[in-house]
Structures are given as C-alpha cells and as structure tokens.
Amino acid sequence: MRYISAEDWELLSFFEVEPQRADPSIPWVYDDSVYLVEDGELALSFAIHPAYKDIQIILKYQGHSLYEFAATGVKDIRVLKEKDDEMLEIILSEQQKLWIRLHPSIKIVQDSREETIV
C-alpha cells in the first residue's frame, strides 16, 4: 500500500479539529499535520506524515507527559466506525496494533501478539 487508508477528511471528522500543517500549500498527503485534542485535563497530540506513514502520539495530563509513541513506516492507519463507536486504528505490523478512541473520553490501547506455529 502506497499511502495510508485514512483520508484527510476522515481524520478531520475523527479528531473534530483542523490540523496544524507544516506547509498548507502542498497536498495533505505530503505534509506534516498535527491534530490537538483536549478533554478536560487530558491533551492528545497526533502528528502524521501520510506519505511516509510516520506518526507521533503524545498524551499529557495537566501538561505532563503520560504517554509518548513514535513510529516510522507504519503498515496502515484507518478510521473504523461501528454503530456509535469510532476509533483510529494504527497497524504497526501484522502482530502489533494501536487504537485511539476519543469518546466518551480519550483512550489508547496497544496490542502485540506473536504468532506461533505449533
């Protein structure tokens, strides 16, 4: 897959904020974008470069970093919707995935499974 599955409008809808872009004069897929979301005293920063499939996630509480994650060349990023539930799925590899939910509150879940042949 050349680029991520998620389109700019899907991320805009998911994060419900306009991203801060490094260079708005170039197409979104080639630009660095940062989505900033606040929920009370929690703040989530999601930075992405879609063409390179690079991301950085920072979760802060009262300005103090709780969680930081950076990855280059992820396998895919997509927005998943089921009924009233929406999440951002980041596929790091066949064995590792990360999900972000914003509603009813910010939640980050990471899963790593190693396949074994018996």
Side-chain angles (χ1 to χ4, degrees), residues 2 5-6 8 11 13 17 20 30 33 52 56 69 78 80-81 89 95-96 103 110 113:
R2 191 165 179 211
S5 295
D8 58 342
L11 292 178
S13 175
V17 296
Q20 297 174 357
Y30 301 113
S33 297
Y52 291 130
Q56 180 182 38
F69 181 84
R78 57 191 183 165
L80 303 177
K81 294 182 182 183
E89 179 181 54
Q95 295 82 22
Q96 296 186 54
H103 301 289
Q110 188 170 353
R113 299 172 191 243

PDB file of all heavy atoms in Angstrom, residues 2 5-6 8 11 13 17 20 30 33 52 56 69 78 80-81 89 95-96 103 110 113:
ATOM      1  N   ARG A   2       0.593   2.150  -0.895  1.00  0.00           N
ATOM      2  CA  ARG A   2       1.449   3.317  -1.063  1.00  0.00           C
ATOM      3  C   ARG A   2       1.267   4.350   0.043  1.00  0.00           C
ATOM      4  O   ARG A   2       2.231   4.860   0.586  1.00  0.00           O
ATOM      5  CB  ARG A   2       1.168   3.946  -2.419  1.00  0.00           C
ATOM      6  CG  ARG A   2       2.161   4.978  -2.779  1.00  0.00           C
ATOM      7  CD  ARG A   2       2.086   5.318  -4.223  1.00  0.00           C
ATOM      8  NE  ARG A   2       3.079   6.350  -4.450  1.00  0.00           N
ATOM      9  CZ  ARG A   2       2.968   7.276  -5.347  1.00  0.00           C
ATOM     10  NH1 ARG A   2       1.927   7.306  -6.131  1.00  0.00           N
ATOM     11  NH2 ARG A   2       3.908   8.166  -5.488  1.00  0.00           N
ATOM     12  N   SER A   5      -4.642   4.349   4.513  1.00  0.00           N
ATOM     13  CA  SER A   5      -6.039   4.236   4.078  1.00  0.00           C
ATOM     14  C   SER A   5      -6.864   5.457   4.472  1.00  0.00           C
ATOM     15  O   SER A   5      -7.753   5.873   3.746  1.00  0.00           O
ATOM     16  CB  SER A   5      -6.692   2.987   4.677  1.00  0.00           C
ATOM     17  OG  SER A   5      -6.079   1.825   4.173  1.00  0.00           O
ATOM     18  N   ALA A   6      -6.592   6.021   5.650  1.00  0.00           N
ATOM     19  CA  ALA A   6      -7.374   7.165   6.131  1.00  0.00           C
ATOM     20  C   ALA A   6      -7.156   8.377   5.232  1.00  0.00           C
ATOM     21  O   ALA A   6      -6.025   8.703   4.866  1.00  0.00           O
ATOM     22  CB  ALA A   6      -6.986   7.509   7.563  1.00  0.00           C
ATOM     23  N   ASP A   8      -7.782  12.596   4.522  1.00  0.00           N
ATOM     24  CA  ASP A   8      -7.710  13.793   5.357  1.00  0.00           C
ATOM     25  C   ASP A   8      -9.061  14.147   5.976  1.00  0.00           C
ATOM     26  O   ASP A   8      -9.145  14.491   7.151  1.00  0.00           O
ATOM     27  CB  ASP A   8      -7.133  14.977   4.589  1.00  0.00           C
ATOM     28  CG  ASP A   8      -7.911  15.337   3.340  1.00  0.00           C
ATOM     29  OD1 ASP A   8      -8.695  14.513   2.841  1.00  0.00           O
ATOM     30  OD2 ASP A   8      -7.730  16.474   2.855  1.00  0.00           O
ATOM     31  N   LEU A  11      -9.789  11.903   9.054  1.00  0.00           N
ATOM     32  CA  LEU A  11      -9.077  12.307  10.266  1.00  0.00           C
ATOM     33  C   LEU A  11      -9.651  13.603  10.825  1.00  0.00           C
ATOM     34  O   LEU A  11      -9.761  13.753  12.049  1.00  0.00           O
ATOM     35  CB  LEU A  11      -7.579  12.450   9.981  1.00  0.00           C
ATOM     36  CG  LEU A  11      -6.852  11.144   9.681  1.00  0.00           C
ATOM     37  CD1 LEU A  11      -5.389  11.409   9.357  1.00  0.00           C
ATOM     38  CD2 LEU A  11      -6.979  10.157  10.816  1.00  0.00           C
ATOM     39  N   SER A  13     -12.762  14.502  10.631  1.00  0.00           N
ATOM     40  CA  SER A  13     -14.007  14.081  11.281  1.00  0.00           C
ATOM     41  C   SER A  13     -13.726  13.358  12.595  1.00  0.00           C
ATOM     42  O   SER A  13     -14.408  13.575  13.597  1.00  0.00           O
ATOM     43  CB  SER A  13     -14.806  13.178  10.346  1.00  0.00           C
ATOM     44  OG  SER A  13     -15.941  12.667  10.989  1.00  0.00           O
ATOM     45  N   VAL A  17     -11.075  18.522  14.866  1.00  0.00           N
ATOM     46  CA  VAL A  17     -10.292  19.762  14.874  1.00  0.00           C
ATOM     47  C   VAL A  17      -9.520  19.863  13.564  1.00  0.00           C
ATOM     48  O   VAL A  17      -9.158  18.843  12.963  1.00  0.00           O
ATOM     49  CB  VAL A  17      -9.290  19.838  16.055  1.00  0.00           C
ATOM     50  CG1 VAL A  17      -9.995  19.870  17.390  1.00  0.00           C
ATOM     51  CG2 VAL A  17      -8.282  18.712  16.006  1.00  0.00           C
ATOM     52  N   GLN A  20      -2.874  21.331  12.483  1.00  0.00           N
ATOM     53  CA  GLN A  20      -1.831  22.325  12.264  1.00  0.00           C
ATOM     54  C   GLN A  20      -0.904  21.724  11.225  1.00  0.00           C
ATOM     55  O   GLN A  20      -0.337  20.651  11.449  1.00  0.00           O
ATOM     56  CB  GLN A  20      -1.077  22.608  13.557  1.00  0.00           C
ATOM     57  CG  GLN A  20      -1.935  23.196  14.646  1.00  0.00           C
ATOM     58  CD  GLN A  20      -1.183  23.315  15.960  1.00  0.00           C
ATOM     59  OE1 GLN A  20      -0.039  22.913  16.097  1.00  0.00           O
ATOM     60  NE2 GLN A  20      -1.860  23.856  16.959  1.00  0.00           N
ATOM     61  N   TYR A  30       1.425  14.829   1.565  1.00  0.00           N
ATOM     62  CA  TYR A  30       2.874  15.059   1.574  1.00  0.00           C
ATOM     63  C   TYR A  30       3.310  16.000   2.691  1.00  0.00           C
ATOM     64  O   TYR A  30       4.483  16.330   2.797  1.00  0.00           O
ATOM     65  CB  TYR A  30       3.328  15.625   0.232  1.00  0.00           C
ATOM     66  CG  TYR A  30       2.998  14.723  -0.921  1.00  0.00           C
ATOM     67  CD1 TYR A  30       2.063  15.088  -1.878  1.00  0.00           C
ATOM     68  CD2 TYR A  30       3.607  13.473  -1.042  1.00  0.00           C
ATOM     69  CE1 TYR A  30       1.748  14.242  -2.931  1.00  0.00           C
ATOM     70  CE2 TYR A  30       3.294  12.623  -2.079  1.00  0.00           C
ATOM     71  CZ  TYR A  30       2.367  13.020  -3.021  1.00  0.00           C
ATOM     72  OH  TYR A  30       2.048  12.181  -4.054  1.00  0.00           O
ATOM     73  N   SER A  33       1.165  16.999   9.574  1.00  0.00           N
ATOM     74  CA  SER A  33      -0.027  17.560  10.226  1.00  0.00           C
ATOM     75  C   SER A  33      -0.071  17.115  11.679  1.00  0.00           C
ATOM     76  O   SER A  33       0.313  15.982  11.997  1.00  0.00           O
ATOM     77  CB  SER A  33      -1.305  17.074   9.526  1.00  0.00           C
ATOM     78  OG  SER A  33      -1.346  17.522   8.199  1.00  0.00           O
ATOM     79  N   TYR A  52       4.811   9.143   4.169  1.00  0.00           N
ATOM     80  CA  TYR A  52       5.863   8.319   4.777  1.00  0.00           C
ATOM     81  C   TYR A  52       5.316   7.334   5.796  1.00  0.00           C
ATOM     82  O   TYR A  52       6.043   6.472   6.276  1.00  0.00           O
ATOM     83  CB  TYR A  52       6.914   9.200   5.449  1.00  0.00           C
ATOM     84  CG  TYR A  52       7.752   9.999   4.492  1.00  0.00           C
ATOM     85  CD1 TYR A  52       7.927  11.361   4.678  1.00  0.00           C
ATOM     86  CD2 TYR A  52       8.375   9.408   3.398  1.00  0.00           C
ATOM     87  CE1 TYR A  52       8.703  12.110   3.814  1.00  0.00           C
ATOM     88  CE2 TYR A  52       9.147  10.140   2.520  1.00  0.00           C
ATOM     89  CZ  TYR A  52       9.302  11.491   2.727  1.00  0.00           C
ATOM     90  OH  TYR A  52      10.069  12.230   1.873  1.00  0.00           O
ATOM     91  N   GLN A  56       3.414  10.288  15.449  1.00  0.00           N
ATOM     92  CA  GLN A  56       3.864  10.529  16.814  1.00  0.00           C
ATOM     93  C   GLN A  56       2.628  10.832  17.643  1.00  0.00           C
ATOM     94  O   GLN A  56       1.792  11.651  17.244  1.00  0.00           O
ATOM     95  CB  GLN A  56       4.839  11.696  16.896  1.00  0.00           C
ATOM     96  CG  GLN A  56       5.319  11.943  18.309  1.00  0.00           C
ATOM     97  CD  GLN A  56       6.245  13.136  18.410  1.00  0.00           C
ATOM     98  OE1 GLN A  56       6.055  14.143  17.743  1.00  0.00           O
ATOM     99  NE2 GLN A  56       7.260  13.014  19.252  1.00  0.00           N
ATOM    100  N   PHE A  69       4.603   7.971  21.927  1.00  0.00           N
ATOM    101  CA  PHE A  69       4.813   6.876  20.988  1.00  0.00           C
ATOM    102  C   PHE A  69       5.186   7.471  19.630  1.00  0.00           C
ATOM    103  O   PHE A  69       4.541   8.413  19.177  1.00  0.00           O
ATOM    104  CB  PHE A  69       3.538   6.029  20.842  1.00  0.00           C
ATOM    105  CG  PHE A  69       3.696   4.875  19.905  1.00  0.00           C
ATOM    106  CD1 PHE A  69       4.241   3.680  20.350  1.00  0.00           C
ATOM    107  CD2 PHE A  69       3.327   4.987  18.580  1.00  0.00           C
ATOM    108  CE1 PHE A  69       4.401   2.612  19.478  1.00  0.00           C
ATOM    109  CE2 PHE A  69       3.490   3.926  17.710  1.00  0.00           C
ATOM    110  CZ  PHE A  69       4.022   2.727  18.157  1.00  0.00           C
ATOM    111  N   ARG A  78      -6.263   3.735   9.699  1.00  0.00           N
ATOM    112  CA  ARG A  78      -7.623   3.853   9.184  1.00  0.00           C
ATOM    113  C   ARG A  78      -8.598   4.203  10.301  1.00  0.00           C
ATOM    114  O   ARG A  78      -8.331   3.929  11.469  1.00  0.00           O
ATOM    115  CB  ARG A  78      -8.048   2.579   8.471  1.00  0.00           C
ATOM    116  CG  ARG A  78      -7.969   1.339   9.300  1.00  0.00           C
ATOM    117  CD  ARG A  78      -8.149   0.096   8.474  1.00  0.00           C
ATOM    118  NE  ARG A  78      -8.123  -1.058   9.353  1.00  0.00           N
ATOM    119  CZ  ARG A  78      -8.528  -2.239   9.015  1.00  0.00           C
ATOM    120  NH1 ARG A  78      -8.998  -2.459   7.811  1.00  0.00           N
ATOM    121  NH2 ARG A  78      -8.476  -3.231   9.864  1.00  0.00           N
ATOM    122  N   LEU A  80     -12.133   3.489  11.893  1.00  0.00           N
ATOM    123  CA  LEU A  80     -13.137   2.431  11.951  1.00  0.00           C
ATOM    124  C   LEU A  80     -14.387   2.955  12.629  1.00  0.00           C
ATOM    125  O   LEU A  80     -14.306   3.612  13.671  1.00  0.00           O
ATOM    126  CB  LEU A  80     -12.602   1.229  12.736  1.00  0.00           C
ATOM    127  CG  LEU A  80     -11.302   0.602  12.237  1.00  0.00           C
ATOM    128  CD1 LEU A  80     -10.881  -0.518  13.173  1.00  0.00           C
ATOM    129  CD2 LEU A  80     -11.443   0.100  10.823  1.00  0.00           C
ATOM    130  N   LYS A  81     -15.536   2.647  12.042  1.00  0.00           N
ATOM    131  CA  LYS A  81     -16.816   3.076  12.620  1.00  0.00           C
ATOM    132  C   LYS A  81     -17.724   1.866  12.750  1.00  0.00           C
ATOM    133  O   LYS A  81     -17.886   1.107  11.806  1.00  0.00           O
ATOM    134  CB  LYS A  81     -17.492   4.108  11.728  1.00  0.00           C
ATOM    135  CG  LYS A  81     -16.752   5.407  11.637  1.00  0.00           C
ATOM    136  CD  LYS A  81     -17.496   6.399  10.773  1.00  0.00           C
ATOM    137  CE  LYS A  81     -16.731   7.681  10.653  1.00  0.00           C
ATOM    138  NZ  LYS A  81     -17.431   8.697   9.884  1.00  0.00           N
ATOM    139  N   GLU A  89      -7.411   3.237  14.023  1.00  0.00           N
ATOM    140  CA  GLU A  89      -6.596   2.029  14.123  1.00  0.00           C
ATOM    141  C   GLU A  89      -5.273   2.269  13.417  1.00  0.00           C
ATOM    142  O   GLU A  89      -5.251   2.677  12.259  1.00  0.00           O
ATOM    143  CB  GLU A  89      -7.307   0.837  13.484  1.00  0.00           C
ATOM    144  CG  GLU A  89      -6.481  -0.439  13.546  1.00  0.00           C
ATOM    145  CD  GLU A  89      -7.170  -1.613  12.886  1.00  0.00           C
ATOM    146  OE1 GLU A  89      -7.562  -1.491  11.705  1.00  0.00           O
ATOM    147  OE2 GLU A  89      -7.314  -2.649  13.555  1.00  0.00           O
ATOM    148  N   GLN A  95       1.606  -8.153  13.764  1.00  0.00           N
ATOM    149  CA  GLN A  95       1.420  -8.552  15.155  1.00  0.00           C
ATOM    150  C   GLN A  95       1.084  -7.395  16.093  1.00  0.00           C
ATOM    151  O   GLN A  95       0.722  -7.631  17.241  1.00  0.00           O
ATOM    152  CB  GLN A  95       2.692  -9.240  15.688  1.00  0.00           C
ATOM    153  CG  GLN A  95       3.033 -10.543  15.031  1.00  0.00           C
ATOM    154  CD  GLN A  95       3.782 -10.361  13.717  1.00  0.00           C
ATOM    155  OE1 GLN A  95       4.393  -9.340  13.473  1.00  0.00           O
ATOM    156  NE2 GLN A  95       3.700 -11.352  12.850  1.00  0.00           N
ATOM    157  N   GLN A  96       1.239  -6.158  15.659  1.00  0.00           N
ATOM    158  CA  GLN A  96       1.062  -5.030  16.564  1.00  0.00           C
ATOM    159  C   GLN A  96       0.092  -3.992  16.012  1.00  0.00           C
ATOM    160  O   GLN A  96       0.231  -3.556  14.871  1.00  0.00           O
ATOM    161  CB  GLN A  96       2.400  -4.346  16.823  1.00  0.00           C
ATOM    162  CG  GLN A  96       3.400  -5.226  17.535  1.00  0.00           C
ATOM    163  CD  GLN A  96       4.638  -4.442  17.881  1.00  0.00           C
ATOM    164  OE1 GLN A  96       4.562  -3.394  18.506  1.00  0.00           O
ATOM    165  NE2 GLN A  96       5.785  -4.969  17.476  1.00  0.00           N
ATOM    166  N   HIS A 103     -14.093   9.270  22.339  1.00  0.00           N
ATOM    167  CA  HIS A 103     -15.384   9.390  23.025  1.00  0.00           C
ATOM    168  C   HIS A 103     -15.758   8.073  23.680  1.00  0.00           C
ATOM    169  O   HIS A 103     -15.567   7.035  23.070  1.00  0.00           O
ATOM    170  CB  HIS A 103     -16.473   9.821  22.051  1.00  0.00           C
ATOM    171  CG  HIS A 103     -16.178  11.136  21.399  1.00  0.00           C
ATOM    172  ND1 HIS A 103     -16.217  12.333  22.066  1.00  0.00           N
ATOM    173  CD2 HIS A 103     -15.804  11.429  20.130  1.00  0.00           C
ATOM    174  CE1 HIS A 103     -15.894  13.304  21.232  1.00  0.00           C
ATOM    175  NE2 HIS A 103     -15.628  12.780  20.059  1.00  0.00           N
ATOM    176  N   GLN A 110      -2.964  -0.581  23.066  1.00  0.00           N
ATOM    177  CA  GLN A 110      -1.966  -1.192  22.198  1.00  0.00           C
ATOM    178  C   GLN A 110      -2.015  -2.698  22.389  1.00  0.00           C
ATOM    179  O   GLN A 110      -2.164  -3.186  23.510  1.00  0.00           O
ATOM    180  CB  GLN A 110      -0.572  -0.657  22.528  1.00  0.00           C
ATOM    181  CG  GLN A 110       0.486  -1.114  21.543  1.00  0.00           C
ATOM    182  CD  GLN A 110       1.808  -0.386  21.743  1.00  0.00           C
ATOM    183  OE1 GLN A 110       1.914   0.553  22.520  1.00  0.00           O
ATOM    184  NE2 GLN A 110       2.814  -0.820  21.027  1.00  0.00           N
ATOM    185  N   ARG A 113       0.798  -9.237  19.512  1.00  0.00           N
ATOM    186  CA  ARG A 113       0.645 -10.701  19.559  1.00  0.00           C
ATOM    187  C   ARG A 113       1.655 -11.335  18.630  1.00  0.00           C
ATOM    188  O   ARG A 113       1.774 -10.955  17.474  1.00  0.00           O
ATOM    189  CB  ARG A 113      -0.755 -11.109  19.112  1.00  0.00           C
ATOM    190  CG  ARG A 113      -1.826 -10.548  19.996  1.00  0.00           C
ATOM    191  CD  ARG A 113      -3.184 -10.809  19.409  1.00  0.00           C
ATOM    192  NE  ARG A 113      -4.170 -10.035  20.127  1.00  0.00           N
ATOM    193  CZ  ARG A 113      -5.148 -10.570  20.816  1.00  0.00           C
ATOM    194  NH1 ARG A 113      -5.309 -11.866  20.845  1.00  0.00           N
ATOM    195  NH2 ARG A 113      -5.988  -9.807  21.463  1.00  0.00           N
TER     196      ARG A 113
END
